Amino acid sequence: MLVASFSVLIAATSKYQLLNKYSFGAAEGATREYFDYITVDSAARRVYISHGTEVKVIDADSGALIGNIAGLKQDHGVAIATEFSRGFISDGAQGKVIIFDLKTLKVTGEAKADKDADCVIYDPFSKRVFVMDGDPHNSTVIDAKSGSAVGTIELGGGPEFAVADGKGTVYINLEDKSEVVAVDSSKLKIKSRWTVAPAGAPTALAMDVEHHRLFSAGREPQMLVVLDSDSGKVLQSFPISGGVDAAAYEPETGLVFTSTREGMVHVFHEDSPDKYSEVETIKTEIGAKTMGLDIKTHKLFLDTADFAPAPAPTAQNPHPRGTAIPGTFHVLVYGR
């Protein structure tokens, strides 16, 4: 009880602020400035940052560049399988997964996925890698030890992010269906399918494994919803800003984070498994929609770039956005 009370006090009184900014040049061979998922390996003190045609690997404490995995076409995410000393990079433009050695960061192989290979996660229970193939509405499943594809799951909708509970279930957001599906990671079969209403078009997903809670964030409407991962029941919901693309849960403090393209990180606290409260909204930068959480230091890593002014609205594009300026990519680190 004392620990829980202390975590509530910290969550309620501490404010996140910008601690560091690490700037990088344009990605080798890139024709535009593009960035996507961030994966933090807290144990190894490494941060893997998707940057278009490369994955930058930086030191989680100093921000120093450890290595650069290049030669990609449009990478999205990185999954880490520490027990096999392997990493897996999804490349949507090539429809495949690039496999690399965690110690040397050298590419050691590849596995065929499908078009628009996007989010990629490792499930320690089945020892498999699950790749979310957006356009064909399926998930390619890869054996982490052999590096070979072992199956495909037809999802019935366009997958975005996924999480594994480590007990045999993988949960996947289906953006175009406004649903979450629960998949048996051994049998590769869908067990349940649940709506995320009042949210819609869900992208980001995180999980409190201990208390069986899912945190699914959508763009249309712009909401974060808390679901029971056993029944799919929506327990609570909160409005958020536009363009959400990442979510994270921190077991030690009970904090839930969602980051959006509008340059906001919305922070909530798990007062109990059935009750959540808003803590604060961190103002970051426009475009900083992807995020990684370091559970050791409680720091947040986000990335973005500088953007050109948006063009004038047209009938075809009433809400135009400015394009990212090549060579202005940077990583932002927030902490308390």
Short mmCIF file of all heavy atoms in Angstrom, two decimals, residues 34-82:
data_model
loop_
_atom_site.label_atom_id
_atom_site.label_comp_id
_atom_site.label_asym_id
_atom_site.label_seq_id
_atom_site.Cartn_x
_atom_site.Cartn_y
_atom_site.Cartn_z
N TYR A 34 12.02 10.35 -43.19
CA TYR A 34 10.99 9.44 -42.69
C TYR A 34 11.47 8.77 -41.42
O TYR A 34 12.65 8.40 -41.32
CB TYR A 34 10.65 8.37 -43.74
CG TYR A 34 9.56 7.41 -43.31
CD1 TYR A 34 8.22 7.73 -43.46
CD2 TYR A 34 9.90 6.19 -42.72
CE1 TYR A 34 7.23 6.86 -43.04
CE2 TYR A 34 8.91 5.31 -42.31
CZ TYR A 34 7.58 5.65 -42.47
OH TYR A 34 6.60 4.79 -42.05
N PHE A 35 10.57 8.59 -40.46
CA PHE A 35 10.93 7.93 -39.21
C PHE A 35 9.69 7.24 -38.66
O PHE A 35 8.56 7.62 -38.96
CB PHE A 35 11.48 8.93 -38.19
CG PHE A 35 10.72 10.24 -38.14
CD1 PHE A 35 9.68 10.41 -37.24
CD2 PHE A 35 11.05 11.29 -38.99
CE1 PHE A 35 8.97 11.60 -37.20
CE2 PHE A 35 10.34 12.49 -38.95
CZ PHE A 35 9.30 12.64 -38.05
N ASP A 36 9.93 6.20 -37.85
CA ASP A 36 8.80 5.42 -37.33
C ASP A 36 9.11 4.92 -35.92
O ASP A 36 9.63 5.68 -35.11
CB ASP A 36 8.44 4.30 -38.29
CG ASP A 36 6.96 3.91 -38.23
OD1 ASP A 36 6.27 4.31 -37.28
OD2 ASP A 36 6.49 3.19 -39.13
N TYR A 37 8.87 3.65 -35.63
CA TYR A 37 8.91 3.14 -34.27
C TYR A 37 10.27 3.30 -33.58
O TYR A 37 11.32 3.29 -34.23
CB TYR A 37 8.55 1.65 -34.24
CG TYR A 37 7.16 1.35 -34.72
CD1 TYR A 37 6.96 0.66 -35.92
CD2 TYR A 37 6.04 1.74 -34.00
CE1 TYR A 37 5.67 0.36 -36.37
CE2 TYR A 37 4.76 1.45 -34.43
CZ TYR A 37 4.58 0.76 -35.62
OH TYR A 37 3.32 0.47 -36.06
N ILE A 38 10.19 3.41 -32.26
CA ILE A 38 11.38 3.44 -31.39
C ILE A 38 11.28 2.25 -30.44
O ILE A 38 10.25 2.04 -29.80
CB ILE A 38 11.46 4.74 -30.58
CG1 ILE A 38 11.56 5.95 -31.52
CG2 ILE A 38 12.64 4.71 -29.62
CD1 ILE A 38 11.50 7.29 -30.80
N THR A 39 12.35 1.48 -30.34
CA THR A 39 12.40 0.33 -29.43
C THR A 39 13.52 0.55 -28.43
O THR A 39 14.67 0.75 -28.81
CB THR A 39 12.65 -0.98 -30.20
OG1 THR A 39 11.59 -1.18 -31.13
CG2 THR A 39 12.72 -2.17 -29.24
N VAL A 40 13.18 0.52 -27.14
CA VAL A 40 14.17 0.69 -26.08
C VAL A 40 14.46 -0.67 -25.45
O VAL A 40 13.55 -1.34 -24.96
CB VAL A 40 13.68 1.67 -25.00
CG1 VAL A 40 14.74 1.82 -23.90
CG2 VAL A 40 13.33 3.02 -25.61
N ASP A 41 15.73 -1.07 -25.47
CA ASP A 41 16.19 -2.27 -24.77
C ASP A 41 16.80 -1.79 -23.46
O ASP A 41 18.00 -1.47 -23.39
CB ASP A 41 17.20 -3.03 -25.62
CG ASP A 41 17.61 -4.36 -25.00
OD1 ASP A 41 17.40 -4.54 -23.78
OD2 ASP A 41 18.17 -5.21 -25.73
N SER A 42 15.97 -1.70 -22.41
CA SER A 42 16.42 -1.12 -21.15
C SER A 42 17.55 -1.91 -20.52
O SER A 42 18.46 -1.34 -19.90
CB SER A 42 15.25 -1.00 -20.17
OG SER A 42 14.29 -0.08 -20.64
N ALA A 43 17.51 -3.23 -20.64
CA ALA A 43 18.55 -4.07 -20.03
C ALA A 43 19.90 -3.85 -20.70
O ALA A 43 20.93 -3.78 -20.03
CB ALA A 43 18.14 -5.53 -20.11
N ALA A 44 19.90 -3.75 -22.02
CA ALA A 44 21.16 -3.59 -22.77
C ALA A 44 21.56 -2.13 -22.92
O ALA A 44 22.65 -1.85 -23.44
CB ALA A 44 21.02 -4.23 -24.16
N ARG A 45 20.70 -1.20 -22.47
CA ARG A 45 20.94 0.25 -22.54
C ARG A 45 21.11 0.72 -23.99
O ARG A 45 21.97 1.52 -24.32
CB ARG A 45 22.16 0.68 -21.70
CG ARG A 45 22.19 0.17 -20.28
CD ARG A 45 20.91 0.46 -19.51
NE ARG A 45 20.59 1.88 -19.46
CZ ARG A 45 19.34 2.34 -19.53
NH1 ARG A 45 18.31 1.52 -19.67
NH2 ARG A 45 19.12 3.64 -19.47
N ARG A 46 20.24 0.22 -24.84
CA ARG A 46 20.26 0.62 -26.25
C ARG A 46 18.87 1.09 -26.69
O ARG A 46 17.86 0.61 -26.19
CB ARG A 46 20.68 -0.55 -27.15
CG ARG A 46 22.16 -0.89 -27.05
CD ARG A 46 22.52 -2.01 -28.00
NE ARG A 46 23.96 -2.23 -28.08
CZ ARG A 46 24.55 -3.07 -28.93
NH1 ARG A 46 23.80 -3.80 -29.76
NH2 ARG A 46 25.85 -3.20 -28.95
N VAL A 47 18.88 2.02 -27.63
CA VAL A 47 17.64 2.51 -28.23
C VAL A 47 17.75 2.33 -29.74
O VAL A 47 18.72 2.80 -30.36
CB VAL A 47 17.38 4.00 -27.90
CG1 VAL A 47 16.05 4.45 -28.47
CG2 VAL A 47 17.42 4.23 -26.39
N TYR A 48 16.77 1.63 -30.31
CA TYR A 48 16.74 1.37 -31.75
C TYR A 48 15.72 2.32 -32.39
O TYR A 48 14.55 2.33 -32.01
CB TYR A 48 16.35 -0.08 -32.03
CG TYR A 48 17.36 -1.08 -31.50
CD1 TYR A 48 17.32 -1.50 -30.16
CD2 TYR A 48 18.35 -1.60 -32.32
CE1 TYR A 48 18.25 -2.41 -29.67
CE2 TYR A 48 19.29 -2.52 -31.84
CZ TYR A 48 19.23 -2.92 -30.51
OH TYR A 48 20.15 -3.82 -30.03
N ILE A 49 16.19 3.11 -33.35
CA ILE A 49 15.37 4.17 -33.91
C ILE A 49 15.23 3.97 -35.42
O ILE A 49 16.20 4.01 -36.17
CB ILE A 49 16.03 5.55 -33.64
CG1 ILE A 49 16.22 5.74 -32.13
CG2 ILE A 49 15.20 6.67 -34.22
CD1 ILE A 49 17.18 6.85 -31.77
N SER A 50 13.98 3.76 -35.85
CA SER A 50 13.69 3.58 -37.27
C SER A 50 13.82 4.92 -37.99
O SER A 50 13.16 5.89 -37.62
CB SER A 50 12.28 3.02 -37.43
OG SER A 50 11.90 3.01 -38.77
N HIS A 51 14.65 4.95 -39.03
CA HIS A 51 14.91 6.21 -39.74
C HIS A 51 14.96 5.97 -41.25
O HIS A 51 16.00 6.15 -41.89
CB HIS A 51 16.22 6.84 -39.24
CG HIS A 51 16.49 8.20 -39.79
ND1 HIS A 51 17.76 8.67 -40.03
CD2 HIS A 51 15.65 9.21 -40.15
CE1 HIS A 51 17.71 9.90 -40.51
NE2 HIS A 51 16.43 10.25 -40.58
N GLY A 52 13.84 5.55 -41.79
CA GLY A 52 13.72 5.43 -43.24
C GLY A 52 14.47 4.28 -43.86
O GLY A 52 13.96 3.17 -43.98
N THR A 53 15.71 4.55 -44.25
CA THR A 53 16.53 3.52 -44.90
C THR A 53 17.57 2.94 -43.95
O THR A 53 18.47 2.22 -44.39
CB THR A 53 17.25 4.11 -46.12
OG1 THR A 53 18.05 5.23 -45.69
CG2 THR A 53 16.25 4.58 -47.17
N GLU A 54 17.45 3.26 -42.68
CA GLU A 54 18.42 2.79 -41.71
C GLU A 54 17.77 2.66 -40.33
O GLU A 54 16.69 3.18 -40.09
CB GLU A 54 19.58 3.79 -41.60
CG GLU A 54 19.13 5.16 -41.07
CD GLU A 54 20.22 6.21 -41.06
OE1 GLU A 54 21.29 6.00 -41.65
OE2 GLU A 54 19.97 7.28 -40.46
N VAL A 55 18.44 1.94 -39.46
CA VAL A 55 18.08 1.91 -38.04
C VAL A 55 19.27 2.43 -37.27
O VAL A 55 20.37 1.86 -37.33
CB VAL A 55 17.71 0.50 -37.56
CG1 VAL A 55 17.58 0.47 -36.04
CG2 VAL A 55 16.41 0.03 -38.20
N LYS A 56 19.08 3.53 -36.58
CA LYS A 56 20.14 4.08 -35.74
C LYS A 56 20.06 3.44 -34.35
O LYS A 56 18.97 3.31 -33.79
CB LYS A 56 20.03 5.59 -35.63
CG LYS A 56 20.35 6.31 -36.93
CD LYS A 56 20.57 7.78 -36.70
CE LYS A 56 21.05 8.46 -37.98
NZ LYS A 56 22.36 7.94 -38.43
N VAL A 57 21.20 3.06 -33.81
CA VAL A 57 21.27 2.46 -32.48
C VAL A 57 22.07 3.40 -31.61
O VAL A 57 23.25 3.68 -31.89
CB VAL A 57 21.93 1.07 -32.52
CG1 VAL A 57 21.84 0.41 -31.15
CG2 VAL A 57 21.28 0.20 -33.59
N ILE A 58 21.44 3.92 -30.56
CA ILE A 58 22.13 4.87 -29.69
C ILE A 58 22.18 4.35 -28.26
O ILE A 58 21.39 3.49 -27.86
CB ILE A 58 21.48 6.26 -29.72
CG1 ILE A 58 20.08 6.23 -29.09
CG2 ILE A 58 21.42 6.81 -31.15
CD1 ILE A 58 19.47 7.63 -28.90
N ASP A 59 23.12 4.87 -27.50
CA ASP A 59 23.25 4.55 -26.08
C ASP A 59 22.10 5.22 -25.33
O ASP A 59 21.88 6.43 -25.47
CB ASP A 59 24.60 5.05 -25.57
CG ASP A 59 24.86 4.66 -24.13
OD1 ASP A 59 24.28 5.30 -23.24
OD2 ASP A 59 25.65 3.72 -23.91
N ALA A 60 21.38 4.46 -24.53
CA ALA A 60 20.21 4.99 -23.83
C ALA A 60 20.57 6.04 -22.79
O ALA A 60 19.73 6.86 -22.41
CB ALA A 60 19.45 3.85 -23.17
N ASP A 61 21.81 6.04 -22.31
CA ASP A 61 22.21 6.98 -21.27
C ASP A 61 22.89 8.24 -21.82
O ASP A 61 22.63 9.34 -21.35
CB ASP A 61 23.13 6.28 -20.28
CG ASP A 61 22.44 5.11 -19.59
OD1 ASP A 61 21.35 5.32 -19.01
OD2 ASP A 61 22.96 3.99 -19.65
N SER A 62 23.74 8.06 -22.83
CA SER A 62 24.51 9.20 -23.33
C SER A 62 23.99 9.75 -24.65
O SER A 62 24.31 10.88 -25.01
CB SER A 62 25.97 8.79 -23.51
OG SER A 62 26.10 7.86 -24.58
N GLY A 63 23.20 8.95 -25.38
CA GLY A 63 22.77 9.37 -26.70
C GLY A 63 23.80 9.15 -27.79
O GLY A 63 23.56 9.47 -28.96
N ALA A 64 24.97 8.61 -27.42
CA ALA A 64 26.02 8.38 -28.41
C ALA A 64 25.59 7.33 -29.42
O ALA A 64 24.92 6.35 -29.07
CB ALA A 64 27.30 7.92 -27.70
N LEU A 65 25.98 7.53 -30.66
CA LEU A 65 25.64 6.58 -31.71
C LEU A 65 26.50 5.34 -31.58
O LEU A 65 27.72 5.39 -31.67
CB LEU A 65 25.85 7.23 -33.09
CG LEU A 65 25.44 6.39 -34.30
CD1 LEU A 65 23.93 6.15 -34.30
CD2 LEU A 65 25.88 7.07 -35.59
N ILE A 66 25.86 4.19 -31.37
CA ILE A 66 26.57 2.92 -31.24
C ILE A 66 26.78 2.28 -32.59
O ILE A 66 27.84 1.71 -32.88
CB ILE A 66 25.77 1.97 -30.32
CG1 ILE A 66 25.71 2.53 -28.90
CG2 ILE A 66 26.39 0.57 -30.31
CD1 ILE A 66 24.77 1.74 -28.00
N GLY A 67 25.78 2.38 -33.44
CA GLY A 67 25.89 1.77 -34.77
C GLY A 67 24.74 2.19 -35.66
O GLY A 67 23.78 2.84 -35.22
N ASN A 68 24.85 1.81 -36.91
CA ASN A 68 23.85 2.17 -37.90
C ASN A 68 23.63 0.98 -38.82
O ASN A 68 24.55 0.50 -39.46
CB ASN A 68 24.36 3.37 -38.71
CG ASN A 68 23.24 4.10 -39.41
OD1 ASN A 68 22.24 4.44 -38.80
ND2 ASN A 68 23.40 4.35 -40.70
N ILE A 69 22.41 0.47 -38.85
CA ILE A 69 22.07 -0.64 -39.74
C ILE A 69 21.45 -0.04 -40.99
O ILE A 69 20.32 0.45 -40.97
CB ILE A 69 21.11 -1.63 -39.05
CG1 ILE A 69 21.70 -2.11 -37.72
CG2 ILE A 69 20.82 -2.82 -39.97
CD1 ILE A 69 20.73 -2.87 -36.86
N ALA A 70 22.18 -0.05 -42.08
CA ALA A 70 21.78 0.67 -43.30
C ALA A 70 21.37 -0.31 -44.40
O ALA A 70 21.28 -1.52 -44.20
CB ALA A 70 22.93 1.55 -43.76
N GLY A 71 21.09 0.25 -45.59
CA GLY A 71 20.74 -0.56 -46.74
C GLY A 71 19.29 -0.98 -46.80
O GLY A 71 18.93 -1.87 -47.56
N LEU A 72 18.42 -0.35 -46.00
CA LEU A 72 17.01 -0.68 -45.99
C LEU A 72 16.26 0.23 -46.98
O LEU A 72 16.84 1.18 -47.51
CB LEU A 72 16.45 -0.51 -44.57
CG LEU A 72 17.25 -1.23 -43.48
CD1 LEU A 72 16.77 -0.81 -42.10
CD2 LEU A 72 17.16 -2.74 -43.65
N LYS A 73 14.99 -0.08 -47.22
CA LYS A 73 14.21 0.75 -48.13
C LYS A 73 13.18 1.61 -47.40
O LYS A 73 13.06 2.79 -47.67
CB LYS A 73 13.53 -0.12 -49.19
CG LYS A 73 14.50 -0.67 -50.22
CD LYS A 73 13.78 -1.26 -51.42
CE LYS A 73 14.77 -1.70 -52.49
NZ LYS A 73 14.08 -2.28 -53.68
N GLN A 74 12.41 1.02 -46.52
CA GLN A 74 11.52 1.79 -45.64
C GLN A 74 11.23 0.94 -44.42
O GLN A 74 10.27 0.19 -44.37
CB GLN A 74 10.22 2.18 -46.33
CG GLN A 74 9.36 3.09 -45.45
CD GLN A 74 8.19 3.70 -46.18
OE1 GLN A 74 8.35 4.24 -47.27
NE2 GLN A 74 7.01 3.62 -45.60
N ASP A 75 12.10 1.10 -43.43
CA ASP A 75 11.94 0.29 -42.22
C ASP A 75 10.92 0.93 -41.29
O ASP A 75 10.71 2.14 -41.31
CB ASP A 75 13.28 0.10 -41.52
CG ASP A 75 13.94 1.40 -41.14
OD1 ASP A 75 14.58 2.02 -42.02
OD2 ASP A 75 13.83 1.80 -39.98
N HIS A 76 10.30 0.09 -40.47
CA HIS A 76 9.25 0.56 -39.56
C HIS A 76 9.57 0.27 -38.10
O HIS A 76 9.56 1.16 -37.27
CB HIS A 76 7.91 -0.08 -39.94
CG HIS A 76 7.34 0.45 -41.20
ND1 HIS A 76 6.68 1.65 -41.29
CD2 HIS A 76 7.35 -0.07 -42.46
CE1 HIS A 76 6.29 1.86 -42.54
NE2 HIS A 76 6.69 0.83 -43.27
N GLY A 77 9.80 -1.01 -37.76
CA GLY A 77 9.99 -1.35 -36.36
C GLY A 77 11.13 -2.31 -36.14
O GLY A 77 11.68 -2.88 -37.09
N VAL A 78 11.50 -2.48 -34.87
CA VAL A 78 12.56 -3.39 -34.47
C VAL A 78 12.07 -4.23 -33.30
O VAL A 78 11.54 -3.69 -32.33
CB VAL A 78 13.84 -2.63 -34.05
CG1 VAL A 78 14.92 -3.61 -33.61
CG2 VAL A 78 14.34 -1.76 -35.19
N ALA A 79 12.22 -5.54 -33.41
CA ALA A 79 11.90 -6.45 -32.32
C ALA A 79 13.19 -7.10 -31.82
O ALA A 79 14.07 -7.43 -32.63
CB ALA A 79 10.92 -7.53 -32.77
N ILE A 80 13.29 -7.28 -30.52
CA ILE A 80 14.50 -7.81 -29.90
C ILE A 80 14.21 -9.18 -29.28
O ILE A 80 13.30 -9.32 -28.47
CB ILE A 80 15.01 -6.85 -28.80
CG1 ILE A 80 15.25 -5.45 -29.37
CG2 ILE A 80 16.27 -7.40 -28.15
CD1 ILE A 80 16.29 -5.40 -30.48
N ALA A 81 15.00 -10.17 -29.68
CA ALA A 81 14.93 -11.51 -29.08
C ALA A 81 16.27 -11.77 -28.42
O ALA A 81 17.18 -12.38 -29.00
CB ALA A 81 14.62 -12.56 -30.14
N THR A 82 16.42 -11.30 -27.19
CA THR A 82 17.70 -11.35 -26.49
C THR A 82 18.22 -12.77 -26.33
O THR A 82 19.43 -13.02 -26.45
CB THR A 82 17.57 -10.69 -25.10
OG1 THR A 82 17.09 -9.34 -25.26
CG2 THR A 82 18.90 -10.63 -24.39
#
